[in-house]
Amino acid sequence: SDLGAPKPQKGYRKKERMSKKSKRRARKDEECLEIGLLSSPRSSSSYESSPERTPTALHRAELMVAGMTCSTCVSSVEKTLSSLEGVKSVIVSLITGKVEVKLLRLLPNESLALKRLVDAVLDAGFEVESSNLDLAASTNGSNGILKQMQLVHITLSVQGMVCTNCSNHLEKALEDLKGVVEVKVSLATDEVCVSGEHALLTAQDVVHAIEEAGYGASVKSVELDTDGGALHEVDLSVEGMTCSSCQNTVEKVILAINGVESAVVSLLDAKARVKFRMGETGPREIIRAVDEAGFPTALYTNAKTSIGKSASGRREADKWKRLFLRSLCFSIPLFIVSRIIPTIPGVNDTMMNLFLGFPIIEWLKFVLATPVQFWVGYGFYIRAWKSIKNKSANMDVLVVLGTTSAYAYSVLSILYHHFNRHHVSQDYVPTDFFETSGLLLTFICLGKFLESLAKTKTSEAISKLMELTPDTAILVELDEGSNIIHEEEIMTSLIHVGDELKVLPGAKIPTDGFVTNGSSYVDEAMVTGESIPVLKGMGDGLIGGTVNTAGFLRMKASKVGSETALAQIIRLVQAAQMSKAPVQRYADKISSYFVPTVVFLSITTFIIWYSCGISGAYPLEWIPSGNSVFLFSLTFAISVVVVACPCALGLATPTAIMVGTGVGATNGVLIKGGSALEKACHISTLVFDKTGTLTTGHPTVMHYLHLHEAIQKKEVAVLSAAVESASEHPLGKAIHSFCQSVLFGPDDDQGTQRQIQFPKHTDVSVQPGLGIKCSLDRKDHLEFMRKRRLSTWLQSKKETVVVQLGNRKLLRTEGKSADIPDRAETWMKEQEDFGRTCVLVAVDGDLCAVFSIADSLKPESYNVISYLQSMGIECVIASGDNWRTANAIGRDVGISAIHAGISPAEKVGVIKELQRDGMVVGMVGDGVNDSPALASADVGIAIGSGTDIAVEAADYVLMRDNLEDVALAIHLSQTTFRRIKLNYVWAMAYNIVCIPLAAGLFFPHFQIQLPPWVAGAAMALSSVSVVSSSLFLRFYKRPVLKFPLQSVATHRDFEA
């Protein structure tokens, strides 16, 4: 029943007596065993026999940490993890809760690496919800060594992170775990992903480490990598097993399938867990094999392991909602008893009667305040203690100091009056203020609840992307004639690579693939940002999650599961959202000193007010009725403690980055991190590649000059198209496409023009560097013209028509160069000055027309360049093409700085030179030939990547081949960074104004005092206001390019 997982080691718990923590750990082990997520460590011999290890190999670990609320928490996690042996770098995201750790792979006890990381985070006072481990970049040639390791990727859900100090501390703790390759932590989603060597790391180790540090953790998934590719895991529900013999039979049947790595079958749970290589088999084959063995099988679903990140966010909000409602149930009666009843004479007299020596009203206040302080506030105490134990102070410390001071003073006040028998006196006025601690915790819980709701909204874009993939797909079986003979509806998770699928009108594309039959318009707006549906025909690629809007499609699956474009987009955006922008370093630095400074100010406030009070420096009329100088001074001190908020500082950057990257993803702009986003705001020079970036990358007929008086233009088009119909030369294809558009209009009817049979040609002579010459059958030509009701000039009785298409040299070889009229020479020289290629057409020795061909500009190029220049960005062209062509393109789009005829390596030199001049340089290219330049630039922007989003060299990946997205990327980055600055202004202004107000700085002049419970409410709502400010980015609109279109030659001119 344990699915083959090992039992916990004996020495892990005390034998004689189990503590409560050990019991909780045992229950967690049982839960992990139940869902089969504990992986067995391999024997030591397997480790020893593995290739030689080197400490230069870098691992990258990822944890999802809960409980971080401010920059102090982030700093705490960073400090803790950075102090661990072997840790090279730590990146913590407050809003996502992700912690990314890069560390050296140390010998020989790597099995403890991940556990040490998690333990460190938990000891810092935060919860690790999930962990994962991925192969990281390496140094000193260690990449090959890492590739030989078998990695396990563990994803966990963790509770307890509240601020950046928490996430920083957790990140550092996780880095201390040996065997860890990568740790990623997200505060917003409360998840941790830890990747490590399978022989040294188990999910049980991670869970125990998290709980040892004081946080709750539950395993969500475990995935293995092998040399043959990533191991996928599937859980199956198996019926009909009655004994161990049945269990063994099922296990043998599964293991006999080619591609299955391991199978663990549980008789008690009627469940099997199978690990397999997707390239060799799939879940459908596994289910079929078990079914044929006599055991009905289906995919197993478990709510424990299928909780999404949005559900995790809702769970966090529900937790704070429950705490708020519990607190409210006691705080409202407490407020009535403390503030309203004393104003009602008859009722107050009754409440002042003694019970067990104390006034009834004091008993009521004590009974109502105590559950709020220690039941609702229990979590604050635990986190504060762990924070102090790890020499790091966060928001929880301030809350505990403030509420405990109010509660403890109130209890001592009651006892003081009791032992001095003050309550016997008719003038007795209670000096406690239990309602302060109760209302303070109530408003803090309310603020945390609202903050959690707002934080779930920041990841809304990712949630929408996750919901795009449909649950089911229609699998079809074809006969030899590619006709459908059978179809069935299957779950999307059961699709294999190579499956033929049917997509009905209005349905979602189930996975990545290409069209094998049919045509339709597909809405790709949610994935690429393309608002207009795209026509898809035979052989065209399809992206999973997009919508088939009109016709029937049949497709073949090419990628499934985590390999699809949508899955890669989600992973890339999640990685970006957990990254830290450089500007956040200032907030982290402030947060590290924030809490001690606030405590110092609070103590100073109390000393000043108390000293002035007992020395008579201010009139006693300032002190409220029933209060003493001590209580009056203490109220100011408590207000200072609880009003100060480090959380707003910590949330200012990550919330804006999360929303901004999500908005970018929905518009087809993928941003790879906060650092890239910040640098993009400061770009002063943008270098463009020419071919495929400013231009379409495909030669097009730009202009046409007709010269023959007798032969009409359409007949020239027929003859030219016939000659070039079988040509593979780019110029020939351009002429053929142009001639078809002249004859039949633009190619809008799904490629029917390509099926036209032009007159047959013979005696084809292709002369490299010159052109092409061939003979056409005159009868076929005349028949073609007659059927299409076109007039023809060729009425002679010759059997063939000789057609030549080429340059001047081709005509010169035929003795026709002298026949080129002056106006044609002048026209061609003008075209060639624009960097275009001229192709002459001669029929039976007579010059008829000239085509002007060039790699045409993208329609939006001029507007985009003008818009960027209006933003103060200098634009530069770096092209491998010749100077004349590059200069013509630069003249058309308004770029004067041109570097032409240079290699990819020389483009890097151009960028380095600009950087030496103090420029912040961005590079826009195709992500393939321009990879060195993209990597050398401060910001690399890969354009038109489509489904190939994993462009390593680029900081920005643009899904569409549209230059407008370059303007969008920079404008969105600037808008997001402005929002970050606004968040910081608000967070700093809040503390700068509220702390003096709470300290009573304005009280002598205006008698304005900020009660502690009001200060607590203001503190809680400050974080909500920052998150809400970031949420305004959801209403971002694409920039409107208002520049008039330049009259460049991007259209086809049919006139002479």
Side-chain angles (χ1 to χ4, degrees):
S1 62
D2 59 2
L3 295 180
K7 294 182 179 180
Q9 299 176 4
K10 293 181 180 179
Y12 214 97
R13 301 178 178 85
K14 295 181 181 180
K15 295 182 178 180
E16 297 180 357
R17 181 180 177 183
M18 294 179 66
S19 64
K20 291 183 179 179
K21 184 180 293 185
S22 297
K23 292 179 181 178
R24 289 197 302 271
R25 182 188 303 162
R27 287 197 299 270
K28 184 62 68 175
D29 287 347
E30 294 170 0
E31 179 181 338
C32 291
L33 290 169
E34 177 186 348
I35 63 175
L37 292 176
L38 299 185
S39 54
S40 302
R42 301 297 187 263
S43 64
S44 59
S45 61
S46 67
Y47 175 78
E48 293 169 0
S49 62
S50 63
E52 182 183 356
R53 263 66 169 178
T54 173
T56 59
L58 278 180
H59 295 242
R60 190 170 57 202
E62 177 181 312
L63 275 72
M64 296 293 296
V65 179
M68 298 187 296
T69 57
C70 61
S71 297
T72 307
C73 303
V74 173
S75 300
S76 176
V77 174
E78 284 183 345
K79 183 178 179 181
T80 300
L81 293 178
S82 296
S83 65
L84 299 180
E85 182 182 8
V87 171
K88 305 300 292 183
S89 67
V90 181
I91 300 175
V92 183
S93 170
L94 172 63
I95 185 63
T96 63
K98 284 187 178 180
V99 177
E100 183 176 306
V101 185
K102 289 186 180 179
L103 66 160
L104 293 174
R105 185 167 176 267
L106 302 176
L107 297 174
N109 298 318
E110 295 186 47
S111 60
L112 300 176
L114 184 60
K115 182 177 183 299
R116 289 177 63 200
L117 286 179
V118 178
D119 280 343
V121 175
L122 296 177
D123 288 340
F126 307 99
E127 297 181 7
V128 181
E129 290 197 341
S130 61
S131 58
N132 200 4
L133 192 67
D134 292 328
L135 187 63
S138 60
T139 58
N140 300 337
S142 62
N143 192 43
I145 296 170
L146 287 176
K147 287 184 178 178
Q148 297 175 5
M149 296 164 42
Q150 186 180 31
L151 299 178
V152 59
H153 308 280
I154 307 170
T155 304
L156 303 97
S157 180
V158 184
Q159 300 82 36
M161 292 189 298
V162 292
C163 66
T164 50
N165 273 1
C166 306
S167 61
N168 287 346
H169 186 70
L170 179 59
E171 189 173 347
K172 293 173 185 175
L174 291 175
E175 289 173 352
D176 197 37
L177 296 177
K178 290 187 177 180
V180 171
V181 171
E182 184 175 31
V183 179
K184 294 182 180 179
V185 182
S186 173
L187 177 62
T189 56
D190 296 326
E191 285 191 355
V192 177
C193 297
V194 179
S195 299
E197 190 168 357
H198 184 226
L200 308 173
L201 182 67
T202 68
Q204 183 181 8
D205 290 334
V206 180
V207 172
H208 285 168
I210 293 172
E211 293 187 342
E212 280 295 317
Y215 298 96
S218 59
V219 180
K220 298 182 68 176
S221 66
V222 177
E223 187 175 290
L224 290 177
D225 283 350
T226 64
D227 293 338
L231 273 180
H232 292 256
E233 189 175 70
V234 63
D235 291 336
L236 306 176
S237 177
V238 184
E239 299 178 6
M241 294 189 298
T242 58
C243 61
S244 59
S245 177
C246 300
Q247 178 181 354
N248 293 334
T249 300
V250 172
E251 189 167 321
K252 289 179 181 178
V253 167
I254 297 174
L255 290 174
I257 301 172
N258 184 36
V260 171
E261 181 75 12
S262 67
V264 181
V265 182
S266 170
L267 175 63
L268 183 62
D269 296 329
K271 175 184 170 186
R273 168 153 293 187
V274 184
K275 295 182 175 68
F276 62 93
R277 287 184 291 273
M278 180 61 78
E280 300 179 26
T281 187
R284 218 166 54 243
E285 294 177 5
I286 299 171
I287 292 174
R288 185 182 301 116
V290 180
D291 279 339
E292 292 175 353
F295 302 94
T297 307
L299 279 179
Y300 177 83
T301 57
N302 187 349
K304 290 183 180 180
T305 59
S306 61
I307 298 175
K309 294 184 178 180
S310 59
S312 177
R314 289 193 297 270
R315 188 170 59 248
E316 180 75 9
D318 290 341
K319 181 191 78 173
W320 287 111
K321 181 180 179 181
R322 287 194 303 271
L323 291 175
F324 167 66
L325 293 178
R326 290 173 188 171
S327 182
L328 196 64
C329 291
F330 294 98
S331 297
I332 291 177
L334 178 61
F335 181 80
I336 293 173
V337 170
S338 301
R339 295 292 182 179
I340 298 178
I341 287 181
T343 63
I344 307 175
V347 178
N348 185 56
D349 292 342
T350 303
M351 288 293 182
M352 293 303 294
N353 292 328
L354 301 182
F355 176 72
L356 299 178
F358 294 90
I360 294 175
I361 193 170
E362 300 296 342
W363 277 112
L364 287 175
K365 288 190 282 188
F366 174 77
V367 169
L368 291 172
T370 301
V372 178
Q373 187 67 32
F374 299 107
W375 183 32
V376 175
Y378 174 78
F380 292 100
Y381 278 98
I382 295 299
R383 292 189 294 270
W385 165 245
K386 291 179 179 178
S387 176
I388 294 173
K389 186 175 67 172
N390 289 284
K391 301 177 181 179
S392 173
N394 59 14
M395 183 205 74
D396 296 312
V397 174
L398 298 179
V399 172
V400 167
L401 282 176
T403 58
T404 304
S405 298
Y407 180 85
Y409 173 82
S410 299
V411 173
L412 293 175
S413 172
I414 293 175
L415 295 176
Y416 173 77
H417 291 305
H418 173 75
F419 289 119
N420 287 279
R421 301 187 61 79
H422 293 164
H423 54 276
V424 179
S425 172
Q426 295 293 330
D427 298 329
Y428 167 66
V429 177
T431 58
D432 62 87
F433 57 136
F434 281 111
E435 73 281 0
T436 295
S437 63
L439 290 173
L440 185 55
L441 284 171
T442 300
F443 281 112
I444 290 173
C445 291
L446 173 61
K448 285 296 176 185
F449 167 58
L450 297 176
E451 179 185 328
S452 299
L453 287 179
K455 284 165 69 177
T456 58
K457 296 287 187 182
T458 62
S459 58
E460 196 173 68
I462 289 293
S463 300
K464 289 181 178 179
L465 288 174
M466 289 179 172
E467 294 169 358
L468 289 181
T469 303
D471 296 326
T472 61
I474 300 176
L475 176 68
V476 299
E477 184 179 345
L478 307 177
D479 60 14
E480 294 181 356
S482 296
N483 299 311
I484 298 176
I485 58 176
H486 176 71
E487 64 180 55
E488 64 174 316
E489 188 174 26
I490 63 171
M491 296 182 65
T492 307
S493 56
L494 295 178
I495 297 176
H496 295 186
V497 173
D499 281 347
E500 287 280 349
L501 306 169
K502 184 170 77 171
V503 185
L504 299 175
K508 291 182 178 179
I509 308 297
T511 190
D512 289 3
F514 56 91
V515 179
T516 57
N517 189 24
S519 62
S520 178
Y521 285 91
V522 177
D523 183 0
E524 299 180 341
M526 279 301 295
V527 178
T528 66
E530 179 60 63
S531 59
I532 301 175
V534 181
L535 177 64
K536 299 290 184 179
M538 184 80 72
D540 290 336
L542 298 171
I543 303 175
T546 55
V547 180
N548 176 23
T549 61
F552 159 85
L553 287 176
R554 198 171 74 219
M555 63 172 290
K556 178 173 285 189
S558 60
K559 293 181 181 179
V560 297
S562 60
E563 302 301 319
T564 62
L566 186 60
Q568 292 182 63
I569 291 172
I570 291 171
R571 286 199 300 270
L572 190 148
V573 176
Q574 287 174 337
Q577 290 178 344
M578 70 163 293
S579 66
K580 185 180 294 186
V583 70
Q584 195 171 341
R585 291 195 301 264
Y586 302 108
D588 294 343
K589 191 71 174 177
I590 294 172
S591 296
S592 63
Y593 299 104
F594 189 87
V595 174
T597 302
V598 169
V599 173
F600 173 77
L601 291 175
S602 176
I603 295 173
T604 303
T605 298
F606 174 79
I607 292 174
I608 292 174
W609 278 103
Y610 186 72
S611 301
C612 293
I614 60 177
S615 63
Y618 56 80
L620 295 179
E621 289 79 9
W622 286 6
I623 302 176
S625 176
N627 286 12
S628 62
V629 173
F630 182 87
L631 179 57
F632 184 59
S633 305
L634 182 63
T635 301
F636 283 113
I638 293 175
S639 295
V640 170
V641 169
V642 297
V643 80
C645 183
C647 303
L649 284 172
L651 292 171
T653 296
T655 52
I657 289 178
M658 172 166 276
V659 180
T661 53
V663 169
T666 57
N667 284 277
V669 176
L670 306 181
I671 307 172
K672 289 192 174 181
S675 177
L677 186 145
E678 182 171 341
K679 287 181 181 178
C681 300
H682 305 296
I683 289 178
S684 57
T685 302
L686 206 53
V687 180
F688 288 87
D689 177 45
K690 181 186 74 69
T691 305
T693 303
L694 292 172
T695 65
T696 60
H698 305 287
T700 305
V701 175
M702 308 295 294
H703 290 275
Y704 169 81
L705 176 66
H706 192 76
L707 297 171
H708 204 284
E709 296 180 356
I711 300 179
Q712 295 185 1
K713 298 173 186 177
K714 288 193 175 181
E715 187 165 14
V716 173
V718 172
L719 295 170
S720 301
V723 172
E724 301 288 4
S725 58
S727 175
E728 293 298 325
H729 194 281
L731 298 182
K733 289 182 178 180
I735 292 173
H736 186 265
S737 176
F738 171 75
C739 292
Q740 286 196 112
S741 65
V742 171
L743 293 169
F744 310 107
D747 188 7
D748 290 334
D749 46 0
Q750 305 170 13
T752 56
Q753 295 174 8
R754 298 188 182 94
Q755 302 173 6
I756 297 172
Q757 296 295 324
F758 286 95
K760 297 178 182 179
H761 50 73
T762 59
D763 299 328
V764 179
S765 174
V766 178
Q767 302 179 38
L770 300 179
I772 184 172
K773 175 183 178 182
C774 74
S775 300
L776 301 178
D777 187 279
R778 186 178 297 277
K779 290 182 179 180
D780 283 350
H781 172 70
L782 295 176
E783 182 65 18
F784 182 90
M785 299 292 287
R786 185 185 62 80
K787 286 182 178 180
R788 284 159 180 79
R789 298 180 181 179
L790 298 174
S791 60
T792 176
W793 170 79
L794 299 174
Q795 300 295 338
S796 66
K797 296 182 179 181
K798 292 182 180 180
E799 293 183 0
T800 60
V801 180
V802 179
V803 183
Q804 296 167 290
L805 280 85
N807 55 22
R808 294 180 181 87
K809 291 182 180 180
L810 178 66
L811 269 65
R812 189 178 296 121
T813 59
E814 301 295 326
K816 297 293 181 181
S817 60
D819 295 342
I820 301 176
D822 292 340
R823 71 185 184 101
E825 284 287 1
T826 303
W827 186 86
M828 287 191 292
K829 187 177 183 303
E830 292 175 353
Q831 297 299 312
E832 288 168 348
D833 287 340
F834 282 101
R836 296 162 189 157
T837 301
C838 292
V839 177
L840 299 91
V841 183
V843 179
D844 286 338
D846 295 325
L847 185 62
C848 296
V850 184
F851 295 105
S852 173
I853 304 174
D855 184 4
S856 61
L857 279 175
K858 291 179 179 177
E860 71 277 6
S861 294
Y862 177 76
N863 277 3
V864 171
I865 298 301
S866 299
Y867 179 81
L868 293 171
Q869 290 172 340
S870 72
M871 298 170 67
I873 298 175
E874 180 185 356
C875 296
V876 178
I877 292 178
S879 174
D881 211 335
N882 62 75
W883 168 259
R884 187 178 62 179
T885 302
N887 187 58
I889 294 296
R891 186 166 57 246
D892 284 345
V893 298
I895 297 177
S896 58
I898 300 170
H899 301 269
I902 59 177
S903 65
E906 290 172 326
K907 291 181 182 180
V908 175
V910 171
I911 291 173
K912 294 294 185 183
E913 184 179 350
L914 291 170
Q915 290 172 333
R916 283 194 294 270
D917 293 338
M919 304 290 186
V920 179
V921 182
M923 173 69 194
V924 184
D926 57 17
V928 181
N929 297 327
D930 299 319
S931 293
L934 290 172
S936 299
D938 296 297
V939 180
I941 303 175
I943 187 171
S945 299
T947 58
D948 182 21
I949 67 167
V951 182
E952 294 294 336
D955 300 299
Y956 281 67
V957 179
L958 310 183
M959 297 288 290
R960 300 189 305 160
D961 189 13
N962 192 319
L963 271 179
E964 289 183 359
D965 286 348
V966 175
L968 167 66
I970 296 176
H971 184 264
L972 175 61
S973 300
Q974 292 179 344
T975 303
T976 303
F977 200 67
R978 282 197 298 269
R979 182 60 57 175
I980 291 173
K981 291 180 178 178
L982 180 62
N983 289 346
Y984 277 128
V985 168
W986 166 249
M988 293 299 297
Y990 164 82
N991 285 290
I992 290 173
V993 171
C994 288
I995 291 178
L997 180 63
L1001 185 65
F1002 306 111
F1003 189 86
H1005 303 285
F1006 307 105
Q1007 274 71 59
I1008 297 177
Q1009 184 180 16
L1010 198 64
W1013 62 273
V1014 175
M1019 182 270 286
L1021 293 177
S1022 66
S1023 298
V1024 179
S1025 64
V1026 168
V1027 178
S1028 300
S1029 172
S1030 296
L1031 286 176
F1032 275 103
L1033 287 171
R1034 293 194 304 165
F1035 305 106
Y1036 172 82
K1037 299 296 182 183
R1038 297 175 68 98
V1040 179
L1041 308 184
K1042 297 182 179 179
F1043 296 90
L1045 287 173
Q1046 187 190 36
S1047 57
V1048 297
T1050 58
H1051 60 282
R1052 291 170 175 160
D1053 184 3
F1054 301 105
E1055 300 301 327

